[in-house]
């Protein structure tokens, strides 16, 4: 059995230099690392926290419900730029900008709306504040629909179902109690479970 393996490992004198050359080329190629394009390289990055505007409690550069934050690469990451040159990051340069979602706010505070609904909802102050003067006047004339409308409005406002009349979102602390509505549409993917 051992003699059979030895015969398989014997090479002709002309193929031996070719095998040695291929082996050396493989070792040299493995020692030099391949550098990916900077567009594809997204590992090893740390993204900064967005700068929050004190008045709106949203990122300062929020437009069309998107804001951009800078992402810095880890030190000593190399990538190839679009012009073909290799670039090595030191950890201080911006590698790319990442988009994060933000909300469209226009000055209506969530805390004020809940407080008005709780304490003055029976006279319609919450609806006047949110920009619904007709409903506010109706609540004022009926004393909050005999209290039932005030209770319903308090629940709807506190769950952020009823918002400002201009379609904007409430100003809520950036790290506060924000609600995200989930909706099911025709584009929603539904995963069905297969029975065994």
């Amino acid at each position: 059995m051992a003699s059979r393996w030895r015969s398989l490992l014997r090479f002709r004198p002309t193929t031996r230099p070719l095998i040695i050359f291929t082996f050396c080329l493989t070792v040299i190629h493995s020692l030099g690392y391949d550098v990916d394009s900077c567009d594809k390289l997204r590992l090893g990055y740390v993204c900064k926290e967005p700068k929050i505007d004190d008045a709106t409690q949203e990122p300062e550069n929020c437009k069309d419900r998107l804001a951009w934050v800078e992402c810095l690469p880890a030190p000593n990451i190399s990538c190839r730029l679009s012009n073909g040159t290799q670039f090595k990051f030191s950890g201080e340069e911006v590698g790319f900008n990442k988009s994060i979602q933000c909300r469209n706010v226009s000055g209506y505070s969530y805390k004020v709306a809940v407080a008005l609904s709780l304490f003055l909802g029976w006279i319609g102050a919450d609806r006047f504040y949110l920009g619904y003067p007709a409903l506010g006047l109706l609540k004022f004339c009926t004393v909050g629909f005999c209290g039932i409308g005030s209770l319903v409005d308090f629940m709807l406002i506190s769950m952020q179902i009823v918002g400002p009349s201009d379609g904007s979102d409430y100003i809520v602390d950036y790290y506060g109690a924000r609600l995200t509505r989930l909706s099911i549409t025709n584009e929603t993917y539904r995963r069905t479970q297969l029975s065994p």
Side-chain angles (χ1 to χ4, degrees):
M1 184 76 154
S3 63
R4 185 172 180 204
W5 283 105
R6 281 188 207 130
S7 66
L8 288 175
L9 293 176
R10 284 190 210 141
F11 301 107
R12 293 184 197 160
T14 56
T15 58
R16 195 173 293 150
L18 182 63
I19 292 173
I20 292 172
F21 175 74
T22 306
F23 176 74
C24 291
L25 189 62
T26 305
V27 168
I28 290 170
H29 182 68
S30 65
L31 290 177
Y33 50 90
D34 287 337
V35 178
D36 286 337
S37 169
C38 290
D39 295 334
K40 296 178 183 175
L41 189 61
R42 296 290 168 126
L43 299 175
Y45 284 86
V46 175
C47 295
K48 293 181 179 179
E49 288 290 321
K51 294 177 183 171
I52 306 301
D53 186 10
D54 290 334
T56 63
Q57 289 296 306
E58 291 297 323
E60 289 178 352
N61 59 353
C62 180
K63 289 184 180 155
D64 298 327
R65 297 191 179 265
L66 282 179
W68 299 92
V69 293
E70 295 177 341
C71 296
L72 306 174
N76 299 325
I77 288 185
S78 296
C79 65
R80 194 168 305 282
L81 298 174
S82 60
N83 63 3
T85 59
Q86 184 176 338
F87 186 76
K88 188 172 185 178
F89 290 99
S90 66
E92 301 295 325
E93 303 93 352
V94 175
F96 65 95
N97 291 325
K98 178 182 171 186
S99 64
I100 59 170
Q101 292 199 0
C102 58
R103 297 163 14 123
N104 176 28
V105 295
S106 64
Y108 295 99
S109 171
Y110 174 69
K111 293 175 185 178
V112 172
V114 170
L116 284 173
S117 181
L118 180 63
F119 298 113
L120 299 175
W122 58 276
I123 58 171
D126 54 351
R127 290 296 184 152
F128 280 114
Y129 174 72
L130 292 175
Y132 302 102
L135 285 174
L137 186 62
L138 190 61
K139 278 177 73 175
F140 178 76
C141 292
T142 60
V143 188
F145 300 111
C146 298
I148 296 171
S150 299
L151 180 64
V152 169
D153 268 355
F154 174 70
M155 291 172 49
L156 292 176
I157 291 173
S158 63
M159 290 189 296
Q160 299 178 17
I161 294 172
V162 171
S165 63
D166 61 359
S168 64
D169 295 313
Y170 289 113
I171 295 176
V172 180
D173 291 337
Y174 187 72
Y175 295 106
R178 294 172 182 232
L179 294 180
T180 304
R181 291 191 186 95
L182 299 177
S183 62
I184 297 175
T185 63
N186 288 336
E187 287 80 29
T188 305
Y189 176 73
R190 182 173 176 225
R191 184 176 169 184
T192 57
Q193 187 176 13
L194 300 174
S195 58

Coordinates of all heavy atoms in Angstrom, one line a residue, residues 28-84:
I28 N 2.4 33.2 -2.2 CA 2.5 34.6 -2.4 C 1.2 35.3 -2.5 O 1.0 36.4 -1.8 CB 3.4 34.9 -3.6 CG1 4.8 34.5 -3.4 CG2 3.3 36.4 -3.9 CD1 5.7 34.6 -4.6
H29 N 0.2 34.7 -3.2 CA -1.1 35.3 -3.3 C -1.8 35.3 -2.0 O -2.6 36.2 -1.6 CB -1.9 34.6 -4.4 CG -3.2 35.2 -4.6 ND1 -3.4 36.4 -5.1 CD2 -4.5 34.7 -4.3 CE1 -4.7 36.7 -5.2 NE2 -5.4 35.7 -4.7
S30 N -1.6 34.2 -1.2 CA -2.3 34.2 0.1 C -1.7 35.1 1.1 O -2.4 35.6 2.0 CB -2.3 32.7 0.6 OG -1.0 32.3 0.9
L31 N -0.4 35.4 1.0 CA 0.2 36.4 1.9 C -0.3 37.8 1.6 O -0.5 38.6 2.5 CB 1.7 36.3 1.8 CG 2.4 35.0 2.3 CD1 3.9 35.1 2.1 CD2 2.1 34.9 3.8
G32 N -0.4 38.1 0.4 CA -1.0 39.4 0.0 C -2.5 39.3 0.1 O -3.1 38.4 -0.5
Y33 N -3.1 40.2 0.8 CA -4.6 40.1 1.0 C -5.3 40.9 -0.1 O -4.9 41.9 -0.6 CB -5.0 40.7 2.4 CG -4.4 42.0 2.7 CD1 -5.1 43.2 2.3 CD2 -3.2 42.2 3.3 CE1 -4.6 44.4 2.6 CE2 -2.7 43.4 3.5 CZ -3.4 44.6 3.2 OH -2.9 45.8 3.4
D34 N -6.5 40.3 -0.4 CA -7.3 40.9 -1.4 C -8.0 42.1 -0.8 O -8.4 42.1 0.4 CB -8.4 39.9 -2.0 CG -7.7 38.9 -2.9 OD1 -6.7 39.2 -3.5 OD2 -8.3 37.8 -3.1
V35 N -8.2 43.1 -1.5 CA -8.9 44.3 -1.0 C -10.2 44.5 -1.8 O -10.2 44.6 -3.0 CB -7.9 45.6 -1.2 CG1 -8.7 46.8 -0.8 CG2 -6.6 45.4 -0.5
D36 N -11.3 44.5 -1.0 CA -12.6 44.7 -1.7 C -12.8 46.2 -2.0 O -12.1 47.1 -1.5 CB -13.7 44.2 -0.7 CG -13.7 42.7 -0.6 OD1 -13.3 42.1 -1.6 OD2 -14.2 42.2 0.4
S37 N -13.8 46.4 -2.8 CA -14.2 47.8 -3.1 C -14.8 48.4 -1.8 O -15.4 47.8 -1.0 CB -15.3 47.7 -4.2 OG -15.9 49.0 -4.3
C38 N -14.6 49.7 -1.7 CA -15.1 50.5 -0.5 C -16.6 50.5 -0.5 O -17.2 50.6 0.6 CB -14.5 51.9 -0.5 SG -12.7 52.0 -0.2
D39 N -17.2 50.4 -1.6 CA -18.7 50.4 -1.7 C -19.3 49.1 -1.0 O -20.3 49.1 -0.5 CB -19.2 50.5 -3.1 CG -18.8 51.8 -3.7 OD1 -18.7 52.8 -2.9 OD2 -18.7 51.9 -4.9
K40 N -18.5 48.0 -1.2 CA -19.0 46.7 -0.7 C -18.6 46.4 0.8 O -19.2 45.6 1.4 CB -18.5 45.5 -1.5 CG -19.0 45.6 -2.9 CD -18.4 44.4 -3.7 CE -18.8 44.5 -5.2 NZ -18.1 43.5 -6.0
L41 N -17.6 47.2 1.3 CA -17.1 46.9 2.6 C -17.9 47.6 3.6 O -17.9 48.8 3.8 CB -15.6 47.4 2.6 CG -14.8 47.1 3.8 CD1 -14.7 45.6 4.0 CD2 -13.5 47.7 3.8
R42 N -18.7 46.9 4.4 CA -19.6 47.5 5.4 C -19.3 46.8 6.8 O -20.0 47.1 7.7 CB -21.0 47.3 5.1 CG -21.5 48.0 3.8 CD -21.4 49.5 4.0 NE -21.6 50.2 2.8 CZ -22.5 51.1 2.6 NH1 -23.3 51.5 3.5 NH2 -22.5 51.8 1.4
L43 N -18.3 46.0 6.9 CA -18.0 45.4 8.2 C -16.9 46.2 8.9 O -16.1 46.8 8.2 CB -17.5 43.9 8.0 CG -18.6 43.0 7.4 CD1 -17.9 41.6 7.2 CD2 -19.8 42.9 8.3
G44 N -16.9 46.2 10.2 CA -15.9 46.9 10.9 C -16.1 48.4 11.0 O -15.2 49.2 11.1
Y45 N -17.4 48.8 10.9 CA -17.7 50.3 11.0 C -18.5 50.5 12.3 O -19.2 49.7 12.8 CB -18.6 50.7 9.9 CG -17.8 50.8 8.6 CD1 -17.6 49.8 7.7 CD2 -17.3 52.1 8.2 CE1 -16.8 49.9 6.6 CE2 -16.6 52.2 7.0 CZ -16.4 51.2 6.2 OH -15.7 51.3 5.1
V46 N -18.3 51.7 12.8 CA -19.1 52.2 14.0 C -19.8 53.5 13.6 O -19.1 54.4 13.1 CB -18.1 52.5 15.2 CG1 -18.9 53.1 16.3 CG2 -17.4 51.2 15.6
C47 N -21.1 53.5 13.7 CA -21.9 54.7 13.3 C -22.1 55.6 14.5 O -22.4 55.1 15.6 CB -23.2 54.3 12.6 SG -23.0 53.3 11.1
K48 N -22.0 56.9 14.2 CA -22.2 57.8 15.3 C -23.7 58.0 15.6 O -24.5 57.7 14.8 CB -21.6 59.2 14.9 CG -20.1 59.3 14.7 CD -19.8 60.7 14.3 CE -18.3 60.9 14.1 NZ -17.9 62.2 13.7
E49 N -24.0 58.5 16.8 CA -25.3 58.8 17.2 C -25.7 60.1 16.4 O -24.9 60.9 16.3 CB -25.5 59.0 18.7 CG -25.3 57.7 19.5 CD -26.6 56.8 19.3 OE1 -27.7 57.3 19.2 OE2 -26.3 55.6 19.2
P50 N -27.0 60.2 16.0 CA -27.4 61.4 15.3 C -27.4 62.6 16.3 O -27.7 62.4 17.5 CB -28.8 61.1 14.8 CG -29.3 60.0 15.7 CD -28.1 59.2 16.1
K51 N -27.2 63.8 15.8 CA -27.4 65.0 16.6 C -28.8 65.3 16.7 O -29.5 65.5 15.7 CB -26.6 66.1 16.0 CG -25.1 65.9 16.0 CD -24.3 67.0 15.3 CE -22.9 66.7 15.2 NZ -22.1 67.6 14.4
I52 N -29.3 65.4 17.9 CA -30.8 65.6 18.2 C -31.1 67.1 18.4 O -30.4 67.7 19.2 CB -31.2 64.7 19.4 CG1 -30.8 63.3 19.2 CG2 -32.7 64.9 19.6 CD1 -31.4 62.6 18.0
D53 N -32.1 67.6 17.6 CA -32.5 68.9 17.8 C -33.4 69.0 19.1 O -34.3 68.2 19.3 CB -33.4 69.3 16.6 CG -33.8 70.8 16.6 OD1 -33.2 71.6 17.5 OD2 -34.6 71.2 15.8
D54 N -33.1 70.0 20.0 CA -33.8 70.1 21.2 C -35.2 70.4 21.1 O -36.1 70.0 21.8 CB -33.1 71.1 22.1 CG -31.8 70.7 22.7 OD1 -31.6 69.5 22.8 OD2 -30.9 71.6 23.0
A55 N -35.6 71.2 20.1 CA -37.0 71.6 19.9 C -37.8 70.5 19.3 O -39.0 70.3 19.7 CB -37.0 72.8 18.9
T56 N -37.3 69.7 18.4 CA -38.2 68.7 17.7 C -37.9 67.3 18.2 O -38.7 66.4 17.9 CB -37.9 68.7 16.2 OG1 -36.6 68.4 15.9 CG2 -38.3 70.1 15.6
Q57 N -36.8 67.1 18.9 CA -36.4 65.8 19.4 C -36.3 64.8 18.2 O -36.5 63.6 18.4 CB -37.4 65.2 20.4 CG -37.4 65.9 21.7 CD -36.0 65.7 22.4 OE1 -35.6 64.6 22.6 NE2 -35.4 66.8 22.8
E58 N -35.8 65.3 17.1 CA -35.5 64.5 15.9 C -34.1 64.8 15.5 O -33.6 65.8 15.9 CB -36.5 64.7 14.8 CG -37.9 64.2 15.1 CD -38.0 62.7 15.2 OE1 -37.3 62.0 14.5 OE2 -38.8 62.3 16.1
P59 N -33.5 63.9 14.6 CA -32.2 64.3 14.1 C -32.2 65.6 13.4 O -33.2 66.0 12.7 CB -31.8 63.1 13.2 CG -32.6 62.0 13.7 CD -33.9 62.6 14.3
E60 N -31.1 66.4 13.5 CA -31.1 67.7 12.9 C -31.2 67.7 11.4 O -31.7 68.6 10.8 CB -29.8 68.4 13.3 CG -29.8 68.8 14.7 CD -28.5 69.5 15.2 OE1 -27.5 69.5 14.3 OE2 -28.4 70.0 16.3
N61 N -30.7 66.7 10.7 CA -30.7 66.7 9.3 C -31.9 65.8 8.7 O -31.7 65.2 7.7 CB -29.4 66.2 8.7 CG -29.0 64.8 9.2 OD1 -29.7 64.2 10.1 ND2 -27.9 64.2 8.7
C62 N -33.0 65.7 9.4 CA -34.1 64.9 9.0 C -34.9 65.6 7.9 O -35.4 66.7 8.0 CB -35.1 64.7 10.2 SG -36.5 63.7 9.8
K63 N -35.0 64.9 6.7 CA -35.7 65.4 5.6 C -36.4 64.2 5.0 O -35.8 63.1 4.7 CB -34.8 66.0 4.5 CG -34.3 67.4 5.0 CD -33.5 68.1 4.0 CE -33.0 69.4 4.5 NZ -31.8 69.9 3.9
D64 N -37.7 64.3 4.7 CA -38.5 63.2 4.0 C -38.4 61.9 4.8 O -38.2 60.9 4.3 CB -38.0 63.0 2.6 CG -38.2 64.2 1.7 OD1 -39.2 65.0 2.0 OD2 -37.4 64.5 0.8
R65 N -38.5 62.1 6.1 CA -38.5 60.9 7.1 C -37.2 60.1 7.0 O -37.2 59.0 7.4 CB -39.7 60.0 6.8 CG -41.0 60.7 7.1 CD -42.1 59.8 7.1 NE -43.4 60.4 7.4 CZ -43.9 60.6 8.6 NH1 -43.3 60.1 9.7 NH2 -45.0 61.2 8.8
L66 N -36.1 60.7 6.6 CA -34.8 60.1 6.6 C -33.7 61.0 7.1 O -33.8 62.2 6.8 CB -34.4 59.6 5.2 CG -35.0 58.3 4.7 CD1 -34.5 58.0 3.3 CD2 -34.7 57.1 5.6
A67 N -32.8 60.5 7.9 CA -31.7 61.3 8.3 C -30.4 60.5 8.1 O -30.5 59.2 7.9 CB -31.8 61.6 9.8
W68 N -29.3 61.1 8.0 CA -28.0 60.4 7.7 C -27.1 60.6 8.9 O -26.9 61.7 9.4 CB -27.4 61.0 6.4 CG -28.3 60.9 5.2 CD1 -29.2 61.8 4.8 CD2 -28.3 59.8 4.4 NE1 -29.8 61.3 3.7 CE2 -29.3 60.0 3.4 CE3 -27.7 58.5 4.3 CZ2 -29.7 59.1 2.4 CZ3 -28.0 57.7 3.3 CH2 -29.0 57.9 2.4
V69 N -26.4 59.5 9.2 CA -25.4 59.5 10.2 C -24.1 59.0 9.6 O -24.0 58.2 8.7 CB -25.8 58.6 11.5 CG1 -26.9 59.2 12.2 CG2 -26.0 57.2 11.1
E70 N -23.0 59.5 10.2 CA -21.6 59.2 9.7 C -21.2 57.9 10.3 O -21.4 57.7 11.5 CB -20.6 60.3 10.0 CG -20.9 61.6 9.3 CD -20.0 62.7 9.7 OE1 -19.3 62.5 10.7 OE2 -19.9 63.7 8.9
C71 N -20.6 57.0 9.5 CA -20.0 55.8 10.0 C -18.5 55.8 9.8 O -18.1 56.0 8.7 CB -20.7 54.6 9.3 SG -22.4 54.4 9.6
L72 N -17.8 55.5 10.9 CA -16.3 55.5 10.8 C -15.8 54.0 10.8 O -16.3 53.2 11.5 CB -15.8 56.2 12.1 CG -16.3 57.6 12.3 CD1 -15.8 58.1 13.7 CD2 -15.9 58.5 11.2
P73 N -14.9 53.8 9.9 CA -14.3 52.4 9.9 C -13.4 52.2 11.0 O -12.8 53.1 11.6 CB -13.6 52.4 8.5 CG -13.2 53.8 8.3 CD -14.3 54.6 8.9
A74 N -13.2 50.9 11.3 CA -12.2 50.6 12.3 C -10.8 50.9 11.8 O -10.6 50.9 10.5 CB -12.3 49.1 12.7
P75 N -9.8 51.1 12.6 CA -8.5 51.4 12.1 C -7.9 50.2 11.3 O -8.2 49.1 11.6 CB -7.6 51.7 13.4 CG -8.6 52.0 14.4 CD -9.9 51.3 14.1
N76 N -7.1 50.6 10.3 CA -6.3 49.6 9.5 C -7.2 48.8 8.6 O -6.8 47.7 8.2 CB -5.5 48.7 10.4 CG -4.4 49.5 11.2 OD1 -3.9 50.5 10.7 ND2 -4.2 49.0 12.4
I77 N -8.4 49.3 8.2 CA -9.2 48.6 7.2 C -8.8 49.2 5.9 O -8.8 50.4 5.7 CB -10.7 48.7 7.5 CG1 -11.0 47.9 8.7 CG2 -11.5 48.4 6.3 CD1 -12.5 47.8 9.0
S78 N -8.5 48.3 4.9 CA -8.2 48.8 3.6 C -9.3 48.4 2.6 O -9.9 47.4 2.7 CB -6.9 48.1 3.1 OG -5.8 48.5 4.0
C79 N -9.5 49.3 1.6 CA -10.4 49.0 0.6 C -10.0 49.8 -0.7 O -9.1 50.6 -0.6 CB -11.9 49.4 1.0 SG -12.1 51.2 1.2
R80 N -10.6 49.4 -1.8 CA -10.2 50.0 -3.1 C -11.3 51.0 -3.5 O -12.5 50.7 -3.5 CB -10.1 48.9 -4.1 CG -9.4 49.3 -5.4 CD -9.1 48.1 -6.3 NE -8.3 47.1 -5.6 CZ -7.0 47.2 -5.4 NH1 -6.3 48.3 -5.8 NH2 -6.3 46.2 -4.8
L81 N -10.8 52.2 -3.7 CA -11.7 53.3 -4.1 C -12.2 53.1 -5.6 O -11.7 52.2 -6.3 CB -11.0 54.6 -4.0 CG -10.6 55.1 -2.6 CD1 -9.8 56.3 -2.7 CD2 -11.8 55.2 -1.7
S82 N -13.2 53.9 -6.0 CA -13.8 53.7 -7.3 C -12.8 54.0 -8.5 O -12.9 53.4 -9.5 CB -15.0 54.6 -7.5 OG -14.6 55.9 -7.3
N83 N -11.7 54.8 -8.2 CA -10.7 55.0 -9.2 C -9.6 54.0 -9.2 O -8.7 54.1 -10.0 CB -10.1 56.4 -9.0 CG -9.4 56.6 -7.7 OD1 -9.3 55.7 -6.9 ND2 -8.9 57.8 -7.5
G84 N -9.7 53.0 -8.3 CA -8.8 51.9 -8.4 C -7.6 52.0 -7.3 O -6.9 51.0 -7.2

